[in-house]
Amino acid sequence: MVILLAALVLGGGAWFVYRRRDTAALPPQAAGIRPPPAGAVPSGSPPRIIGGRRVPARQLADGRIAVSGLTKEYRGLRAVDRLSFAAEPGRVTGFLGPNGAGKTTTLRMLLGLVEPTAGSATVGGRRYADLDQPIRRVGGVLEAAAAHKGRTGRNHLRVICQSAGIPLARADEVLELAGLTAAADRAFRGYSLGMRQRLGVAAALIGDPQVLILDEPTNGLDPEGIRWMRELLRALAGHGRTILVASHFLAEMQLLADDVIIVADGRLVTQGSVTAIVGSLAHGGRTLVRTPEAGKLAAALGTDVIVTPAGPGEVHITGADAVAIGDAAQLAGIAIHQLVTEHPDLEAAYLELTAGKAAIR
């Protein structure tokens, strides 16, 4: 009996060694080893922590939007002119510019809807047309969702799921994300513009993409809807996704965006973080003063300040704060009707940087 047990132990040990050696050359699945879950951090690639979540380096690389020398001409009109910029994973990037600046044309080239005249627009180093299963890599909303008027929101999304080989249950998941569960079985003809915007976002999220590209996504949304959109996009960026948003709502962009790209006449004006671009203003802060004696006040403040007209009976003063201005006015016996300290914001930076460039071409 002892001899039999020893033979079994030795034989089992030999089989285990042989099995380890034999399966070492097999694919993990064939060797009975489960592959790491999607999103697992590969060895040797230190993860980046975004929103408290470990995001693999590969995922970050796959989500980088890069535009280089991008140009598009229509019958002699250059809509986009040698444009270059990048949008990074884990950040919301605002894409800003006057009407006719080339924003929508750029987004259409990114999504493979328009062929560039020159240059490139890539996601993760590849053109949209070359992506494998693009619905799982990039979600795009260039206008409010369009659907068959008699089809419900749920069935519209299920059609997309079925065409992409995605489980139909995903339609209900994105309806909940978009706040449309209560209207899921309502015919599309009964959807308001804001609801259609939400449905478009839901459709873009069906493939759980790494990149989301949106053109004026808050059009038609009420204040609650705008806040919902902001919180959704911030949450997606917080999980390592790349969010590129074209918008004219500058106050909202200041709340939403980490970085901004400003274009005009199809060309890049500037790009960088919101903080850096606002800080680049010629004035870091100024005071609006209403007084009937602007000239006398300027003389009282001296040559270290800059006084510029702002309107009838109003001047902007840079180089002295409200307290210094008030003290100088009191000493000189100058009447002051109003003092307002103005801090620079994204709207001021945008208007200064695009002054004279907002033209229909």
Side-chain angles (χ1 to χ4, degrees):
M1 185 68 178
V2 174
I3 295 173
L4 178 60
L5 288 173
L8 287 172
V9 171
L10 291 173
W15 178 86
F16 179 76
V17 171
Y18 171 80
R19 177 67 175 169
R20 287 285 301 273
R21 184 176 65 250
D22 185 52
T23 58
L26 293 176
Q29 294 88 340
I33 301 171
R34 292 186 178 181
V41 179
S43 60
S45 300
R48 178 178 170 192
I49 306 300
I50 297 177
R53 176 174 176 267
R54 295 161 63 90
V55 180
R58 175 61 185 274
Q59 181 181 344
L60 295 175
D62 286 347
R64 188 173 192 268
I65 294 174
V67 169
S68 178
L70 195 64
T71 301
K72 182 61 183 179
E73 293 184 356
Y74 293 103
R75 298 178 181 177
L77 173 66
R78 186 163 285 195
V80 178
D81 189 3
R82 294 165 293 177
L83 183 62
S84 297
F85 66 81
E88 303 293 345
R91 299 179 74 80
V92 177
T93 300
F95 192 31
L96 313 178
N99 289 333
K103 301 187 302 298
T104 298
T105 301
T106 299
L107 298 187
R108 289 174 67 83
M109 286 189 280
L110 261 170
L111 293 170
L113 300 173
V114 171
E115 188 70 22
T117 303
S120 63
T122 62
V123 175
R126 301 173 68 184
R127 298 184 313 148
Y128 183 88
D130 298 329
L131 294 175
D132 181 37
Q133 293 186 304
I135 194 172
R136 298 178 184 271
R137 293 286 302 281
V138 182
V141 182
L142 297 188
E143 57 187 25
H148 188 285
K149 292 182 179 180
R151 185 171 289 158
T152 66
R154 176 181 281 114
N155 285 339
H156 171 69
L157 296 176
R158 284 179 172 178
V159 168
I160 298 173
C161 289
Q162 193 166 29
S163 65
I166 294 172
L168 298 184
R170 179 62 178 165
D172 291 313
E173 293 174 3
V174 295
L175 281 167
E176 184 175 357
L177 275 174
L180 285 176
T181 300
D185 296 318
R186 188 183 304 176
F188 183 77
R189 68 167 62 91
Y191 276 30
S192 66
L193 176 57
M195 293 167 67
R196 294 182 183 196
Q197 287 282 26
R198 287 175 180 254
L199 188 64
V201 172
L205 292 173
I206 278 179
D208 194 21
Q210 168 68 13
V211 174
L212 202 58
I213 298 172
L214 308 172
D215 191 4
E216 300 289 356
T218 55
N219 274 353
L221 294 180
D222 58 16
E224 181 183 355
I226 292 172
R227 182 177 180 178
W228 162 80
M229 181 73 74
R230 183 195 316 143
E231 292 176 350
L232 173 66
L233 298 182
R234 292 297 323 164
L236 291 170
H239 283 79
R241 289 172 171 80
T242 307
I243 313 297
L244 179 62
V245 184
S247 178
H248 285 118
F249 295 99
L250 299 177
E252 178 59 27
M253 280 293 99
Q254 180 145 9
L255 294 173
L256 171 64
D258 301 296
D259 305 311
V260 292
I261 298 156
I262 300 178
V263 295
D265 293 332
R267 302 184 185 95
L268 179 69
V269 174
T270 191
Q271 63 178 323
S273 69
V274 172
T275 301
I277 288 176
V278 170
S280 71
L281 281 176
H283 63 90
R286 61 189 182 185
T287 304
L288 175 66
V289 182
R290 291 184 60 209
T291 174
E293 303 174 279
K296 188 177 177 182
L297 178 61
L301 291 170
T303 58
D304 292 336
V305 303
I306 300 172
V307 180
T308 56
E314 296 180 341
V315 290
H316 277 128
I317 296 179
T318 306
D321 61 18
V323 173
I325 296 168
D327 288 345
Q330 184 178 21
L331 288 173
I334 299 168
I336 297 292
H337 297 162
Q338 186 178 33
L339 280 173
V340 179
T341 300
E342 297 180 346
H343 296 288
D345 57 14
L346 183 58
E347 179 179 284
Y350 171 87
L351 292 174
E352 182 173 297
L353 291 165
T354 60
K357 299 176 182 178
I360 303 298
R361 297 183 291 147

